[in-house]
């Protein structure tokens, strides 16, 4: 019997709605498997800020840091919710946790399930090939262009003030109003996320029984930080004989991603390139409603759908809950791997089968996948499938 401390941060807009469905699924696992969770829910985000003047209650960051085996986040961001300094309200939550808990690997799997409408040509894939779209993008999550906002957010989360950097002199721009964002890329920051990518490729190799490839994406023809990133990639590549590697510049990569997705397995990218490429990649899997993510560090982990709070759809029970439910799948999988817990790994597989069979057998889907089901109908249908599969696997639980 494994009990995990789970902190749930529903956040803003449709984040709250999809988290209800994720929790419904977790309930079923609690009922029918050995997994159990000690759950704390914390209100947070831009809407909470507009109501209370705070991004989350005092002590929330410490709770996430000191009393959580896993964190599950809905979405952060709300129109008009800005801090006095112009930063988005709720940044303390999402960026404060990524930075303050050192969640350096943002894992974003991109997989087209059988039965899901393809967003590029708009057809259901008649000739569905499981290898066509099945990759994992790993975004560096603690530095690069996000550096200063990450730092401000992490400092604010512990009640400390960040000293802004003095604006350097930009020769030739004297007298101009300049806004600038530093983009530090460090050896250590690159090394840990790149090593993570190679290790993940090894784990996928044993799972998929196929040779795996790691692709490094950067702009090292132009940028110094990217040159360091790529040279660290080359060094780590030397340590892994059985993993193939390829390299691409981000501009060409965006074309390659859409044109030949079957060439890609594990892809590692600096922070901002990863942010952009993962939204683009989501069209290969049926859109943002399908895109799940895990933010992993050596001590902590946080799971979230990649989509935002979608204010225009909020309150309508309309959006796709599968990205949030798949984030729970990633949570089971990562808890299992980290805590050496075979039941959590089994539950991850069961949840994966529930999602894939729901889609391949023509289960109800939301508008974004061409259906007309509500958020809660899809959540309920997947939860029911989980219940049936669990009762087969754990007849006495
Ligand atoms: C994401 C989001 C966030 C980011 C925002 C909400 C700060 O776009 O998780 O991809 O830019 O990282
Ligand atoms: Mn993004």
């Amino acid at each position: 019997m494994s009990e995990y401390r789970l902190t749930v941060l529903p956040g803003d807009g449709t984040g709250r709605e999809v988290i209800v469905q994720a929790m419904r699924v977790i309930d079923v696992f609690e009922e029918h498997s050995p997994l159990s969770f000690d759950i704390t829910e914390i209100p947070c985000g831009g809407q909470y800020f507009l109501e209370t003047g705070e991004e989350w209650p005092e002590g929330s960051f410490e709770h996430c840091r000191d009393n959580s085996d896993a964190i599950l986040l809905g979405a952060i961001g709300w129109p008009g919710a800005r801090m006095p300094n112009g930063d988005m309200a709720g940044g303390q939550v999402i960026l404060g946790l990524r930075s303050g808990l050192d969640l350096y690997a943002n894992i974003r799997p991109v997989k087209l399930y059988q039965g899901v409408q393809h967003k590029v040509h708009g057809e259901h894939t008649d000739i569905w090939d499981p290898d066509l779209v099945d990759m994992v993008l790993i975004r560096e999550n603690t530095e690069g262009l996000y550096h200063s906002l990450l730092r401000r957010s992490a400092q604010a989360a512990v009640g400390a003030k960040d000293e802004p950097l003095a604006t350097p002199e930009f020769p030739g721009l004297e007298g101009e109003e300049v806004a600038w964002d530093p983009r530090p890329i460090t050896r250590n920051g690159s090394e840990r996320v790149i090593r993570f990518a190679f290790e993940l490729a090894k784990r996928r190799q044993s799972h998929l029984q196929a040779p795996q490839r790691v692709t490094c994406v950067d702009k090292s023809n132009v940028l110094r930080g990217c040159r360091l990133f790529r040279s660290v990639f080359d060094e780590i590549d030397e340590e892994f004989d059985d993993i193939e590697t390829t390299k691409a510049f981000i501009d060409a990569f965006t074309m390659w991603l859409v044109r030949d997705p079957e060439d890609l397995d594990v892809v590692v990218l600096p922070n901002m390139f990863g942010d952009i490429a993962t939204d683009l990649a989501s069209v290969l899997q049926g859109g943002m409603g399908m895109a799940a993510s895990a933010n992993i560090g050596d001590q902590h982990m946080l799971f979230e759908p990649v989509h935002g709070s979608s204010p225009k759809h909020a309150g309508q029970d309309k959006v796709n809950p599968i990205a949030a439910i798949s984030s729970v799948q990633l949570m089971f999988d990562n808890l299992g791997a980290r805590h050496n817990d075979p039941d959590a790994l089994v539950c991850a597989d069961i949840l994966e089968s529930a999602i894939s069979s729901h889609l391949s057998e023509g289960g109800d889907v939301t508008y974004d996948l061409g259906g007309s089901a509500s958020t809660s109908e899809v959540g309920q249908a997947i939860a029911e499938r989980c219940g049936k599969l669990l009762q087969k696997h754990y007849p006495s639980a």
Side-chain angles (χ1 to χ4, degrees):
M1 175 91 183
S2 358
E3 188 177 71
Y4 295 107
R5 296 164 303 168
L6 171 62
T7 300
V8 179
L9 305 168
D12 291 314
T14 57
R16 300 178 181 183
E17 296 166 44
V18 297
I19 283 295
V20 172
Q21 304 313 316
M23 297 305 292
R24 186 202 289 256
V25 167
I26 291 174
D27 276 353
V28 174
F29 280 86
E30 289 210 277
E31 193 179 336
H32 298 291
S33 85
L35 284 193
S36 82
F37 293 92
D38 176 6
I39 297 173
T40 308
E41 190 172 314
I42 300 180
C44 59
Q47 286 176 286
Y48 184 80
F49 175 79
L50 292 176
E51 284 156 21
T52 65
E54 301 183 305
E55 294 168 85
W56 51 0
E58 213 187 311
S60 299
F61 173 79
E62 289 77 6
H63 181 86
C64 292
R65 184 188 62 200
D66 303 333
N67 296 308
S68 310
D69 297 307
I71 302 163
L72 182 62
L73 172 70
I76 294 291
W78 198 250
R82 292 259 150 213
M83 307 300 291
N85 69 358
D87 290 348
M88 65 181 263
Q92 216 184 94
V93 182
I94 182 166
L95 299 166
L97 287 171
R98 285 180 186 168
S99 172
L101 303 184
D102 222 6
L103 306 172
Y104 57 84
N106 191 329
I107 307 174
R108 299 185 160 183
V110 180
K111 175 171 163 177
L112 180 65
Y113 286 96
Q114 184 163 22
V116 171
Q117 189 178 27
H118 196 283
K119 289 277 178 192
V120 177
H121 51 60
E123 305 277 322
H124 278 269
T125 24
D126 298 330
I127 331 157
W128 178 79
D129 171 353
D131 299 324
L132 184 60
V133 179
D134 186 2
M135 68 184 93
V136 182
L137 271 56
I138 301 179
R139 163 184 177 189
E140 200 293 318
N141 216 22
T142 54
E143 55 182 35
L145 256 185
Y146 280 71
H147 167 83
S148 44
L149 179 55
L150 282 167
R151 200 187 138 78
R152 276 202 300 285
S153 308
Q155 292 285 86
V158 294
K161 205 169 163 295
D162 189 37
E163 288 307 321
L165 293 174
T167 302
E169 293 203 355
F170 293 103
L173 300 181
E174 294 83 2
E176 293 285 348
E177 181 181 342
V178 181
W180 65 290
D181 299 279
R183 186 177 185 251
I185 289 187
T186 65
R187 167 169 286 277
N188 176 47
S190 304
E191 195 174 325
R192 60 190 189 171
V193 75
I194 292 169
R195 191 174 297 284
F196 190 99
F198 277 87
E199 297 290 353
L200 182 77
K202 256 172 99 175
R203 203 171 152 219
R204 271 167 70 83
Q205 195 170 46
S206 55
H207 181 64
L208 302 172
Q209 296 178 338
Q212 290 292 296
R213 169 184 290 178
V214 182
T215 303
C216 177
V217 176
D218 56 53
K219 189 74 184 175
S220 53
N221 51 341
V222 174
L223 301 170
R224 285 185 291 206
C226 283
R227 279 211 285 284
L228 176 60
F229 192 80
R230 184 174 286 201
S231 70
V232 171
F233 181 87
D234 288 336
E235 284 167 30
I236 294 178
D237 182 13
E238 297 282 306
E239 297 172 28
F240 290 83
D241 290 340
D242 45 349
I243 307 275
E244 276 182 38
T245 54
T246 47
K247 293 169 246 188
F249 300 135
I250 180 66
D251 47 352
F253 175 76
T254 56
M255 178 177 63
W256 182 15
L257 174 68
V258 176
R259 196 189 55 200
D260 307 309
E262 63 277 18
D263 287 351
L264 298 166
D265 288 321
V266 175
V267 182
V268 62
L269 318 90
N271 202 342
M272 182 57 98
F273 294 162
D275 179 47
I276 298 167
T278 51
D279 275 27
L280 173 60
S282 82
V283 301
L284 302 169
Q285 63 184 151
M288 291 294 269
M290 298 296 291
S293 79
N295 297 254
I296 305 290
D298 292 332
Q299 312 295 331
H300 304 278
M301 39 181 126
L302 178 152
F303 303 86
E304 51 170 340
V306 179
H307 62 70
S309 62
S310 191
K312 75 169 189 253
H313 295 130
Q316 297 174 43
D317 196 22
K318 185 176 173 190
V319 298
N320 190 348
I322 295 181
I325 295 172
S326 291
S327 302
V328 172
Q329 195 278 338
L330 290 173
M331 178 174 86
F332 291 167
D333 189 51
N334 281 279
L335 283 172
R338 175 151 303 179
H339 297 272
N340 244 324
D341 176 353
D343 284 315
L345 294 175
V346 165
C347 288
D349 285 347
I350 289 177
L351 182 46
E352 176 69 21
S353 320
I355 297 166
S356 66
S357 64
H358 176 81
L359 293 165
S360 66
E361 290 168 16
D364 287 342
V365 291
T366 43
Y367 77 97
D368 54 315
L369 299 185
S372 57
S374 66
T375 310
S376 37
E377 282 162 349
V378 174
Q380 183 171 353
I382 294 175
E384 276 166 18
R385 266 177 201 269
C386 292
K388 289 193 191 126
L389 293 169
L390 283 165
Q391 280 168 44
K392 255 190 242 156
H393 196 89
Y394 294 108
S396 59

